[in-house]
Amino acid sequence: MGIRVVEFAAIGPIPFCGMLLADMGAEVIRIERPAGSDLGVPVETRFDHLNRGKRSLSVDLKHPAAHGVVHALLARSDVLLEGFRPGTMERLGFGPATVLAARPTLVYGRITGWGSTGPLAAIAGHDLNFIAASGALAAMGEPGVPPPVPLNLIGDFGGAAMHLACGILAALVAAKRDGLGQVVETSIAAGSIALTPMLQGLRQAGIWSAERADNILDGGAPFYRNYATQDARYVAVGAIEAKFYRALLDGLGLLNQLAPGDQMDRANWPETTRIIAERFAAHTNAHWLEVFAGSDACVTPVLNWDEAPSFAQHVAAGHFETVAGQVHPAPQPVLSRTPSRIRGGAPTLGEHNAALLADLGYSPEDVVSLEQQGVTKML
């Protein structure tokens, strides 16, 4: 790829975005605090999959001597990634105005929580808070009880990181064309909202109810929900199209009891759901998977983390990879000419200090001096 990315250590969307770029071939250098931090959930390096394939430079950004190191690195880089609260990078001396003045071609990617302006801009939050304010969380779960706590796939990764990665790639194309970088900014709040245009449109058209579990895609429809089987396992049913719904009823042996033509009659949904639930509960998960094998009824098992990598489709399609004994989700998307790949596990703190500093022109004596001063640190 020939692209160098400098990633200022953060949690959630920033390391995910950096991982995407590293998988696609970018050299991603992660700047980490020498003293470590309480960022996120502590995990052994070998399990730190978001930092796979990156290099680590451990620098105390508050030390005056660190500025020369970081600016020298940015002067030879193409992309900067940061996820601090608004104003933090400016206070550290690495804000867009300063950095782009020295490196006009740089693409400066940043993610905030709530955005860079507004009454909550400087207030802390996490994925749950941001999707709660987006409208999406209120649409999930069962009525009459609190909404569920979803995994941070919506705000952190799908909302913020994916949008940032897309913007960075577009900005790199623009920089190649006209030689000018730019700031690419999103927030977890805005990125979450940006995932909802279809649902917003359905709601405004009067097609989507404000009540939870009352719509086609939120578990309200009997043909798009999860069902328990006899052995306390679950199957996911997604038979939205009429021909798929018919295949579902056929496999369940319910064509004589439920009319396929009544599929979209909401008045029938509660009773239809009860009948289908009873039928699934009468047999084991394995039984139903055998019944629907090769069928377009859209019935699949609900797999846990340990089971998913062994699912036959994932194995055949290479959806998981094992690197240094650790199972990783395989890079996506698949490119035919320049395929992504996992380029190794996560680095230890400051693992590449000496090599990176030497590349920037620091002598071995300088490297030792910087460590002695507390500017850098290597485990």
Side-chain angles (χ1 to χ4, degrees), residues 265-332:
D265 187 345
R266 287 172 176 260
N268 292 329
W269 281 5
E271 179 63 11
T272 299
T273 298
R274 184 191 66 79
I275 293 171
I276 292 176
E278 286 184 354
R279 185 56 56 92
F280 272 118
H283 296 283
T284 65
N285 196 274
H287 168 83
W288 291 118
L289 297 182
E290 182 178 352
V291 167
F292 289 107
S295 166
D296 276 344
C298 304
V299 177
T300 51
V302 177
L303 303 176
N304 63 34
W305 296 119
D306 299 326
E307 296 168 330
S310 299
F311 187 52
Q313 175 61 31
H314 298 330
V315 173
H319 291 163
F320 289 87
E321 295 180 14
T322 299
V323 178
Q326 303 302 314
V327 176
H328 291 250
Q332 292 295 322

Side-chain angles (χ1 to χ4, degrees), residues 50 73 125 262 283 294:
L50 289 184
L73 179 60
D262 293 338
H283 296 283

Side-chain angles (χ1 to χ4, degrees), residues 227 253 308 338:
Y227 290 96
T338 57

